[in-house]
Amino acid sequence: MHQQTHKPAQSRHLPAASQPTQKKEPFTPPSFTDNRPAAVAQQKLQAMANGSPIQQKTVVKNIGQWCNYGNPSSVKQVIVGRNMDAWLDPNDLTRGQAVGVNASQNDLMAWIKGIYPKAKGVKSVKGHLLNDNLGGTALNNNLYPISKGANGMHLSTAENYVKKAMWGTKKRAVNYSVRVAGATDYTGTKGNAKATFITSVRPWEDVNDTSKVGAVEYTANIVSDFGDPIKRTSFDMGGKANENIAATGLKPAIPPAKGALGLRSEESTLRNKQPGALDMEVKGGKITYNSSAPTATGTAPGDLEIMLKAKEMLNKTPGDFIDEHIDDSTRGMVEDIIAKHTKLVMAQQEVDSTTIMGELVDGLPDFVAEVAKKDSGLWWQIHDALLNFVQSEFEYYHEDDIDNDD
């Protein structure tokens, strides 16, 4: 199988989608849509008159756990996710946060990549228990170290199931839970390389009562293995392999914050002074904890540092650049295209004929996206990285095919 490298042509015109755009307006939360009974609506109006907080319907609870790592002589600790329980109402959406917002777990991830050689680079990441597009934060107790394969499988099974329920034509409210069973000790070099994301989805018919949920309608147990980080494994509670679920064309009504520089002031405060609490609850737009021990977070990088890192990765490992920055919906579109073609060139041509490139650039850190829309050289460098990413993903997906690269 020969490798293909896609070089930009000598004469190209920057696509319309790449033209400079006006500066984005500050994020404004959507207005609250009240579809509850008249009596409850009256209570809401009375609360407004009294200056009392209005109870929103979406509720998210995260419970974390301590994770040990580092040399046995100087063990370090950081909070990672353990349990997530979310009551998600499509009429009461919240904004999530991409993993780039989190710096507290960077040292842990660096250690893991060091003791598991196959998990280096983007082969292991901070994985959301509640997906950022569904309103999940990038605080420590909503993130857990996960392999590339498991992260992708979580997206194409449980997360896409919830997205189709929430964002599809029926817009159903659901109760979505994730529990992590696996390693919490990476001390030395003999930590457990495996963990399982145990997920379930239940219908939630009464959005005023979090206890009123139906029977489990979907389950997925996603296995993460740093010893084999690109392996994709997901089984339901009966042991049957889960099929991939496409969510092509579905997008969050409120895109997540992509980096620390894009946070509102109250979000920055929470990020930079994360309580080391084991319990967190998001309710009515406010986050509460059961203790207030701080954790280290690090500082947000400036625009220049972000751009330098982006260009360095594009030059050295362009496939990793795409893998790290492509958002869920765009990745899903690429995966759907790859799955239906038996020839690489056909898959790449279809990717080129869609809006995927523009959406990829829109999903980059704000400053990188702004420069790419003005600098045709950077635009086409990202474009070529995208096609090479498609090639690597295609070869992995069709690894059993004899002839798939021409």
Side-chain angles (χ1 to χ4, degrees):
M1 182 182 302
H2 66 271
Q3 298 293 316
Q4 294 185 354
T5 303
H6 301 270
K7 299 295 183 183
Q10 294 298 315
S11 176
R12 284 178 171 173
H13 298 285
L14 204 58
S18 69
Q19 296 302 317
T21 57
Q22 294 182 345
K23 187 176 181 181
K24 295 180 180 178
E25 294 296 324
F27 172 81
T28 302
S31 59
F32 180 76
T33 302
D34 192 351
N35 60 0
R36 295 175 287 180
V40 178
Q42 183 60 42
Q43 292 175 15
K44 173 193 169 186
L45 294 174
Q46 188 62 46
M48 292 175 64
N50 296 335
S52 304
I54 298 172
Q55 178 59 60
Q56 293 182 318
K57 295 169 289 183
T58 287
V59 177
V60 182
K61 294 182 179 180
N62 283 94
I63 299 177
Q65 56 189 330
W66 288 107
C67 181
N68 298 333
Y69 67 101
N71 293 314
S73 59
S74 57
V75 177
K76 301 177 182 180
Q77 282 190 318
V78 68
I79 293 288
V80 296
R82 187 185 74 186
N83 286 16
M84 185 286 299
D85 210 7
W87 291 262
L88 302 174
D89 180 3
N91 294 312
D92 179 28
L93 303 173
T94 58
R95 183 174 81 153
Q97 301 165 354
V99 294
V101 171
N102 182 284
S104 298
Q105 294 181 3
N106 286 356
D107 195 41
L108 168 64
M109 294 306 303
W111 178 263
I112 287 174
K113 295 173 193 292
I115 62 175
Y116 299 112
K118 294 183 179 180
K120 289 182 178 180
V122 295
K123 296 298 189 295
S124 59
V125 297
K126 305 165 194 169
H128 286 90
L129 274 66
L130 177 62
N131 183 273
D132 55 344
N133 286 299
L134 292 169
T137 71
L139 298 178
N140 287 350
N141 50 13
N142 191 48
L143 298 175
Y144 187 95
I146 189 173
S147 69
K148 167 185 168 65
N151 196 46
M153 204 63 184
H154 194 190
L155 165 66
S156 59
T157 54
E159 290 174 346
N160 277 354
Y161 188 93
V162 174
K163 289 175 182 178
K164 291 191 76 171
M166 288 276 291
W167 305 342
T169 55
K170 295 184 179 180
K171 297 191 181 302
R172 296 191 299 123
V174 299
N175 172 224
Y176 174 42
S177 67
V178 179
R179 178 170 65 87
V180 182
T184 55
D185 191 344
Y186 295 97
T187 306
T189 58
K190 298 182 179 180
N192 177 15
K194 292 186 178 182
T196 303
F197 277 49
I198 303 168
T199 74
S200 68
V201 183
R202 298 189 293 175
W204 179 33
E205 302 299 340
D206 185 347
V207 295
N208 301 301
D209 188 344
T210 58
S211 68
K212 293 184 178 180
V213 294
V216 173
E217 66 182 23
Y218 184 84
T219 61
N221 296 334
I222 300 105
V223 180
S224 168
D225 184 353
F226 293 142
D228 190 3
I230 64 172
K231 185 177 182 180
R232 296 168 58 98
T233 306
S234 177
F235 300 95
D236 64 19
M237 292 302 179
K240 182 180 178 181
N242 291 110
E243 295 183 358
N244 288 340
I245 298 171
T248 302
L250 297 178
K251 292 186 178 182
I254 308 174
K258 294 180 289 187
L261 296 177
L263 297 179
R264 301 188 298 273
S265 60
E266 65 272 20
E267 292 178 315
S268 294
T269 300
L270 287 168
R271 171 191 180 271
N272 294 326
K273 194 177 180 181
Q274 286 189 59
L278 299 184
D279 193 6
M280 177 189 83
E281 181 173 346
V282 181
K283 198 171 186 177
K286 296 182 178 181
I287 300 179
T288 58
Y289 298 88
N290 65 5
S291 72
S292 57
T295 62
T297 59
T299 57
D303 285 345
L304 180 59
E305 183 181 353
I306 291 173
M307 177 57 73
L308 289 175
K309 288 184 176 179
K311 288 190 173 181
E312 180 182 16
M313 183 174 279
L314 271 172
N315 289 329
K316 293 183 177 179
T317 53
D320 286 354
F321 174 88
I322 302 299
D323 206 2
E324 181 172 308
H325 291 94
I326 192 169
D327 63 29
D328 286 349
S329 60
T330 310
R331 182 188 292 272
M333 293 172 69
V334 171
E335 290 180 348
D336 289 347
I337 290 172
I338 287 173
K340 72 179 185 180
H341 288 291
T342 59
K343 299 292 184 181
L344 171 61
V345 66
M346 299 300 293
Q348 289 173 323
Q349 286 176 356
E350 182 168 349
V351 167
D352 251 349
S353 68
T354 66
T355 60
I356 287 176
M357 180 60 190
E359 295 185 24
L360 171 64
V361 171
D362 284 340
L364 296 176
D366 290 339
F367 185 68
V368 179
E370 289 175 10
V371 173
K373 292 175 181 179
K374 300 174 183 176
D375 182 344
S376 61
L378 180 59
W379 174 277
W380 289 111
Q381 189 176 10
I382 296 171
H383 169 267
D384 293 342
L386 172 61
L387 291 188
N388 282 324
F389 170 77
V390 172
Q391 176 179 333
S392 64
E393 293 295 297
F394 185 95
E395 290 172 352
Y396 171 67
Y397 187 91
H398 297 283
E399 61 184 351
D400 295 329
D401 297 347
I402 297 175
D403 180 21
N404 58 27
D405 65 340
D406 56 22

